[in-house]
Amino acid sequence: MVDSKNTWTQTHDLALLYVALAYGTDHDLSDDEVVAITGALKDWVVVPNDTHVQEIVMEAATVFLEGDAKAELSRAIDTLGGSLAPDERRRALTDVIRIAEADGVLLEREQGLISRVADAWSLRRLERELIGDTEAAMQPDGEDWGLIHELAFLFLVVAHVANNELSESEIAVILERLQEWQPDLGPEEAREIVRLSLQVYAEGEQEELIRDSMTTLKNALPDVQRLAVLDDLHCVAQADGNLSDRERDLITSLARAWDVNVRLNGRC
């Protein structure tokens, strides 16, 4: 779907790569992300005019969103790998990582795309250096992201669903319940788990992440422990003083998906 009128440039391919990174985390391209992409592209055009660069971003976004996204991304990576000079590839990879870390967290899918680009451009050493220097929180890979993180994630979902806010009382209950599940977990370790889970929740595609957590916990926990999780979720939901209809519906949906019965009439 690349423009056939010779108006598609190297900068468009860069913009498409940046858009893929920004859009792929949450299936949304926010104004802040457009600003970040535009800023990264300014050094790549002859005349760094904001309007012109924004037009390039929008054209690239249109091709990515309305075409075959995977094919367009693969083509852009291969084309840039062959057309950019070595120092330009290094600069472009640095831009990719800076855009990914701008929100304070590097998600697994972002890390995967970064590694794909670095591998295609023979820049794995630079990737390791840049990732090593980042101040962004790293979403652990599957080996390190364990069931305790999945629990924290679901606790946060339930706490947040009623009013899109997290109260101190809800955080306190979440920390308490996490430490009951893993008694050797210190207070700071528990807070770090909550912090990272919150960042993943805020930046990820929430519905997909919720489904993944539901499935992971269902497969990993026996019925009695799934029931205990639902009890914990009930207590998290009540931490702010009441159980809202949205919280009740979410917990009931989880119970149904996990094939267990739960009563939500008691107090914690």
Side-chain angles (χ1 to χ4, degrees):
M1 188 177 169
V2 175
D3 196 322
S4 61
K5 296 181 180 180
N6 297 322
T7 58
W8 190 266
T9 66
Q10 185 179 83
T11 309
H12 283 84
D13 278 331
L14 285 166
L16 191 144
L17 174 58
Y18 300 162
V19 166
L21 185 73
Y23 181 82
T25 59
D26 55 7
H27 287 200
D28 182 51
L29 195 61
S30 69
D31 290 341
D32 288 342
E33 287 170 328
V34 172
V35 169
I37 293 170
T38 301
L41 287 172
K42 283 183 180 180
D43 292 337
W44 292 93
V45 295
V46 177
V47 181
N49 178 279
D50 283 359
T51 301
H52 174 58
V53 175
Q54 288 171 2
E55 288 174 354
I56 291 175
V57 174
M58 291 300 100
E59 289 168 2
T62 299
V63 168
F64 179 78
L65 297 175
E66 296 184 359
D68 185 335
K70 290 183 179 180
E72 293 293 350
L73 179 58
S74 295
R75 181 202 55 74
I77 292 172
D78 291 343
T79 300
L80 290 168
S83 64
L84 294 177
D87 62 324
E88 290 177 324
R89 291 199 299 271
R90 293 173 64 86
R91 180 152 60 97
L93 181 65
T94 301
D95 285 346
V96 165
I97 293 179
R98 295 296 175 253
I99 291 170
E101 69 183 3
D103 56 16
V105 60
L106 280 173
L107 299 175
E108 275 191 274
R109 67 192 72 186
E110 291 173 324
Q111 296 172 48
L113 178 53
I114 291 168
S115 293
R116 177 182 172 187
V117 173
D119 189 54
W121 294 354
S122 301
L123 293 175
R124 294 306 296 269
R125 178 180 295 180
L126 177 62
E127 176 204 4
R128 289 193 295 271
E129 292 174 357
L130 292 171
I131 293 295
D133 290 339
T134 186
E135 295 183 359
M138 302 284 291
Q139 179 183 354
D141 58 28
E143 183 177 341
D144 296 324
W145 181 271
L147 293 180
I148 196 71
H149 295 84
E150 302 289 2
L151 286 170
F153 178 81
L154 280 186
F155 292 168
L156 289 167
V157 170
V158 169
H160 192 254
V161 71
N163 55 12
N164 294 327
E165 293 180 356
L166 287 172
S167 67
E168 288 295 328
S169 58
E170 288 169 329
I171 293 295
V173 171
I174 290 173
L175 292 170
E176 175 189 332
R177 294 294 166 140
L178 287 178
Q179 289 179 282
E180 289 180 2
W181 279 94
Q182 192 169 315
D184 62 343
L185 198 65
E188 290 305 314
E189 293 174 304
R191 286 189 177 278
E192 178 61 20
I193 288 171
V194 170
R195 185 183 68 83
L196 182 55
S197 299
L198 180 58
Q199 288 181 307
V200 171
Y201 172 74
E203 303 300 336
E205 186 182 355
Q206 293 176 7
E207 290 186 6
E208 180 180 341
L209 290 170
I210 292 170
R211 287 195 300 270
D212 288 346
S213 288
M214 289 169 56
T215 301
T216 298
L217 291 170
K218 179 179 181 179
N219 293 336
L221 301 177
D223 287 355
V224 65
Q225 288 187 322
R226 277 181 256 155
L227 193 58
V229 173
L230 291 168
D231 182 65
D232 286 345
L233 291 171
H234 180 210
C235 291
V236 170
Q238 285 193 325
D240 60 358
N242 60 73
L243 182 68
S244 72
D245 289 340
R246 294 188 68 185
E247 290 167 332
R248 182 185 296 274
D249 290 344
L250 179 55
I251 296 172
T252 302
S253 296
L254 281 168
R256 189 179 304 115
W258 286 350
D259 301 320
V260 295
N261 294 320
V262 62
R263 297 172 60 186
L264 303 179
N265 299 321
R267 299 288 299 179
C268 295

